[in-house]
Amino acid sequence: MFGYGLLYVIYAFLSVVPDLNPIYFLVASIPVALSGGLITIISGIYAYISDTTTVEKRAFRMGLLDASLFGGLVVGAYLSAPLFFIAGQYGYLTVFATSATFYLLGYLCVIFIPESVHVSHVGSSSRGLCSLFDKQLVIRMITTCCKRREHYGRAIIFLVIIAVSTCVITMEGDSAVSFLYTRDKFGWDIRTFTQFGSLSTLISVFGTVAGMYIFSVWLRIPDSMFASCVFLTKCGQTLICGLAPKDWYLYVGCAVGILGGVSGSLCRSIISKTVPLEDIGTVFALTSVVEALTPIAASPLYTFVYNATLLTFSGAFYILSSAINFLDVILLSCVVVLQRASPVHPYSRIQVPE
């Protein structure tokens, strides 16, 4: 959080320097890169939730986390433009300073949160700043995730990680070319597309909170079964969007995929109930690394598909997303089978004091 705060502080200073070479803005990325960036934040938050919540409430709490992230995106999207125009010639300075303020406030909140785990030995001879570049920590992460586990734990972990990474591919890929699709097929401009994106995000926030409470907390449907059904609804959503003859079909697709936002939370909840508490942070770290790498392939893949099918079937990339989501349905169905083939997992019965 402090690294991102420094990022926007530097952005704010650089934004008022006239005729500045854009290469200097790369300097602002150094604090984020050294502190771990978004991977560290997300992994840490999910691990903390796993450490401090009961098994019954864990998926719902993770869903609230995703809902807060989606909600923050909507609020930020609506506030950035007014802030920019109200500030006039200091528009960039105002936007970057506001972002820096919120990140630094978040940092102050984080430092007062009590630690859930006290680590006395991390399996490395390096200490301090040198431990950031210790390859033994990377080796430890890989060996922890790959070691043999009872009750098909290793197979479940990698099935879920694959499902999470392919889910990121569809989200990043769709976002890369969906505006081009709506512009070419329905004549949308950027304002119409932004309004649609904000509405779909709000629908996702509502679906995440309500879906987690109804299906996970109230009905107590197992996470793996719930996740497979969610990916099935995402298949329907992308099919409707890809085959849409009119633009209002896109809103129907959003309604069909209203529960799509819970997929990431459910997958992480499955992982947290498959490994012991001391391994959760390590497995989440590998999951986040895979999530961070998959967008590198997603945008070029979807751009290639869209360009190749633009004149014949411009919605083909949505059909690709539907096929990938169906693959995730198969992966989560395999998880359901593996869990039913084994006795009740001991980690799913752990009660963590709140």
Side-chain angles (χ1 to χ4, degrees):
M1 297 291 286
F2 188 72
Y4 272 107
L6 290 180
L7 168 75
Y8 286 103
V9 167
I10 297 173
Y11 274 173
F13 279 108
L14 294 180
S15 65
V16 297
V17 179
D19 303 323
L20 184 68
N21 192 319
I23 197 70
Y24 287 102
F25 280 85
L26 292 177
V27 177
S29 301
I30 295 177
V32 175
L34 292 179
S35 61
L38 190 61
I39 293 178
T40 301
I41 294 177
I42 298 299
S43 300
I45 294 175
Y46 276 115
Y48 190 87
I49 291 176
S50 299
D51 291 341
T52 57
T53 59
T54 60
V55 172
E56 292 77 12
K57 295 181 179 180
R58 189 173 299 166
F60 178 65
R61 297 285 176 85
M62 291 181 176
L64 289 179
L65 169 62
D66 284 349
S68 67
L69 292 175
F70 292 141
L73 290 174
V74 175
V75 174
Y78 274 103
L79 288 181
S80 58
L83 281 175
F84 182 82
F85 287 109
I86 291 174
Q89 62 177 333
Y90 298 106
Y92 289 112
L93 173 63
T94 303
V95 172
F96 291 143
T98 302
S99 299
T101 300
F102 279 113
Y103 265 114
L104 293 177
L105 287 175
Y107 167 73
L108 292 177
C109 292
V110 169
I111 62 176
F112 288 108
I113 296 176
E115 291 287 352
S116 60
V117 175
H118 297 279
V119 180
S120 58
H121 178 66
V122 295
S124 172
S125 59
S126 301
R127 293 292 183 269
L129 187 62
C130 295
S131 63
L132 293 175
F133 309 97
D134 190 351
K135 65 179 182 181
Q136 293 299 323
L137 296 177
V138 179
I139 295 174
R140 177 173 174 265
M141 177 182 68
I142 296 175
T143 54
T144 299
C145 296
C146 295
K147 70 179 181 181
R148 187 179 183 88
R149 300 179 184 273
E150 59 181 0
H151 309 304
Y152 309 103
R154 181 173 58 182
I156 292 174
I157 289 172
F158 280 101
L159 285 172
V160 174
I161 289 177
I162 294 172
V164 170
S165 60
T166 51
C167 180
V168 173
I169 288 177
T170 58
M171 289 191 298
E172 293 291 333
D174 289 346
S175 63
V177 296
S178 55
F179 170 67
L180 301 177
Y181 169 70
T182 56
R183 184 192 63 183
D184 295 335
K185 188 168 183 177
F186 305 118
W188 284 13
D189 56 16
I190 187 63
R191 182 176 181 179
T192 305
F193 180 78
T194 302
Q195 291 174 347
F196 168 74
S198 299
L199 178 61
S200 62
T201 303
L202 288 175
I203 291 175
S204 181
V205 171
F206 174 78
T208 298
V209 177
M212 278 296 192
Y213 181 79
I214 294 173
F215 296 104
S216 185
V217 177
W218 186 29
L219 298 179
R220 296 187 177 182
I221 296 177
D223 293 340
S224 54
M225 186 178 299
F226 186 18
S228 62
C229 294
V230 168
F231 279 112
L232 193 60
T233 63
K234 294 178 72 172
C235 286
Q237 176 186 2
T238 48
L239 275 177
I240 292 173
C241 293
L243 301 174
K246 302 289 183 180
D247 57 357
W248 59 269
Y249 278 81
L250 300 181
Y251 292 93
V252 175
C254 289
V256 172
I258 187 173
L259 295 176
V262 307
S263 56
S265 302
L266 289 172
C267 288
R268 284 180 170 81
S269 179
I270 295 171
I271 291 176
S272 70
K273 298 172 184 178
T274 306
V275 299
L277 287 177
E278 61 268 19
D279 290 344
I280 288 177
T282 305
V283 178
F284 280 169
L286 179 62
T287 306
S288 298
V289 169
V290 174
E291 282 185 289
L293 293 176
T294 46
I296 298 176
S299 295
L301 172 63
Y302 275 71
T303 302
F304 171 78
V305 172
Y306 181 75
N307 290 334
T309 60
L310 175 60
L311 300 179
T312 55
F313 179 36
S314 58
F317 70 95
Y318 274 124
I319 307 303
L320 173 61
S321 296
S322 182
I324 294 175
N325 287 325
F326 188 72
L327 172 64
D328 293 332
V329 174
I330 296 175
L331 294 176
L332 270 301
S333 298
C334 292
V335 173
V336 173
V337 172
L338 291 176
Q339 289 178 337
R340 288 183 173 244
S342 60
V344 178
H345 202 283
Y347 308 126
S348 65
R349 299 196 302 264
I350 295 177
Q351 298 295 322
V352 181
E354 303 224 7

